[in-house]
Amino acid sequence: MKTKGRSLGGVRWSLGLPTVCLLCFFFFVAGLFASMFLSHQELSPGLRPTPRLLESIVKEEMQFNPLSRGETGEDSLTQIPFQVLSWKPRALYFPGFAEPEHCESIIKIAKARLAPSSLALRKGETAESTKGTRTSSGTFMSASEDKTGTLDIIEGKIARATMIPRTHGEAFNILRYEIGQKYNSHYDAFHPSEYGPQKSQRIASFLLYLSDVEEGGETMFPFENGLNVDNYDFEKCIGLKVKPRKGDGLLFYSVFPNGTIDMTSLHGSCPVVTGQKWVATKWLRDQEQDE
């Protein structure tokens, strides 16, 4: 069977059906090969497509519309991944906030300075009456005391993540919890009726976990979303629990934007069952702190 002839440039062509099918197959294969070749050229070593077109457009737009900044701003964009854990209290989790070697460096420095952790006492309380509330060991260390520069790096990153200036932070409280050690539920903010007048208030806390914990040692918020408020035993480890993971960070706010204490910010450290828990805590205040 033959196809109908066509005239092209005065020459009449007549093609059989098998010839037409063969030509269609040839062009299909050629197109497929070209598509695969071009796609291969766009793949990076990890076999992930690179957004070259989008990247070039962004670069061109940046040339005509550069990011403006104030005198105290930064020249480049910073990416700090985080997850909102809770709105009551306001708690955020920062995976991979610090490098493993930074965590190890902090632990190494703190080990030689550890002493039994103390408490800020309420009116009428004594060290004896609060014995057992907080059983960890710890030390305070400012970024300027760390000659390795590690705490300076961490402090700067905390300031960017919280938008609270470094000058509003207390020295790092580096803590070690061994098996059985814990911290009963408490508030980081100081209520004037219990602690007397305060020059400044702790408004937020940033916990940098320096080690993994095999079992136990979670940071817990028993009043999360208003739960367990009635007849709560402060030694119980219940509510929202955050498992320590080396290099990860936890930020939570102790006060509302209007300055009143958030009662759902009650928190504690569950007893360590297996392993050790190391954490560096940075308390942030509403006023600048003395050096």
Side-chain angles (χ1 to χ4, degrees):
M1 179 178 178
K2 293 186 177 180
T3 60
K4 293 181 179 180
R6 288 188 177 184
S7 177
L8 180 60
V11 180
R12 188 173 182 84
W13 295 85
S14 179
L15 299 175
L17 183 60
T19 305
V20 173
C21 293
L22 184 61
L23 288 173
C24 291
F25 179 74
F26 171 80
F27 285 117
F28 170 78
V29 172
L32 181 62
F33 178 81
S35 175
M36 293 176 62
F37 177 79
L38 292 175
S39 297
H40 178 72
Q41 294 301 309
E42 292 295 319
L43 292 180
S44 60
L47 295 183
R48 295 182 179 178
T50 55
R52 294 184 178 179
L53 180 60
L54 178 60
E55 189 177 83
S56 63
I57 292 174
V58 171
K59 286 182 178 179
E60 290 174 4
E61 289 181 349
M62 289 289 288
Q63 289 175 358
F64 294 103
N65 300 294
L67 293 174
S68 59
R69 64 177 179 85
E71 291 186 4
T72 59
E74 298 181 347
D75 293 321
S76 59
L77 298 173
T78 301
Q79 183 181 21
I80 305 178
F82 69 90
Q83 175 190 0
V84 175
L85 295 182
S86 168
W87 282 98
K88 297 179 181 180
R90 288 178 293 158
L92 299 91
Y93 195 76
F94 294 83
F97 191 83
E99 298 296 332
E101 54 268 27
H102 288 163
C103 298
E104 293 159 9
S105 175
I106 296 171
I107 291 175
K108 183 178 180 180
I109 296 170
K111 273 184 177 180
R113 304 171 45 142
L114 293 178
S117 298
S118 59
L119 288 171
L121 300 176
R122 298 183 181 92
K123 293 177 181 178
E125 288 184 334
T126 64
E128 185 62 30
S129 67
T130 57
K131 189 176 181 180
T133 300
R134 190 185 192 191
T135 56
S136 60
S137 299
T139 183
F140 282 91
M141 186 185 302
S142 66
S144 60
E145 294 179 89
D146 176 16
K147 304 307 179 183
T148 69
T150 300
L151 289 180
D152 183 68
I153 294 172
I154 301 301
E155 189 173 73
K157 196 168 182 179
I158 291 175
R160 290 194 296 273
T162 62
M163 282 303 295
I164 300 176
R166 294 188 185 208
T167 52
H168 288 239
E170 299 181 32
F172 285 93
N173 188 200
I174 304 167
L175 301 166
R176 181 189 67 188
Y177 292 84
E178 298 184 291
I179 293 175
Q181 293 186 332
K182 41 84 177 180
Y183 194 175
N184 291 349
S185 299
H186 61 282
Y187 291 100
D188 284 349
F190 298 108
H191 200 293
S193 64
E194 296 179 331
Y195 293 94
Q198 302 291 309
K199 291 183 178 180
S200 67
Q201 181 63 280
R202 286 178 177 172
I203 58 175
S205 303
F206 194 99
L207 280 60
L208 174 62
Y209 297 113
L210 303 176
S211 67
D212 295 323
V213 181
E214 295 177 39
E215 186 178 358
E218 299 92 347
T219 303
M220 52 92 172
F221 298 87
F223 289 173
E224 193 265 335
N225 206 30
L227 300 175
N228 307 311
V229 175
D230 298 326
N231 301 317
Y232 168 65
D233 183 345
F234 278 56
E235 293 189 10
K236 286 184 178 179
C237 184
I238 60 175
L240 173 64
K241 298 180 184 180
V242 182
K243 184 175 178 61
R245 290 185 173 87
K246 186 176 184 177
D248 290 359
L250 172 65
L251 168 68
F252 63 91
Y253 291 86
S254 297
V255 301
F256 293 114
N258 64 4
T260 60
I261 296 176
D262 180 358
M263 302 310 291
T264 64
S265 69
L266 184 79
H267 63 285
S269 181
C270 299
V272 173
V273 178
T274 308
Q276 282 189 348
K277 174 184 177 180
W278 283 88
V279 60
T281 300
K282 169 69 71 171
W283 287 301
L284 304 166
R285 291 184 175 255
D286 59 1
Q287 303 291 329
E288 290 190 4
Q289 299 300 291
D290 296 332
E291 291 291 339

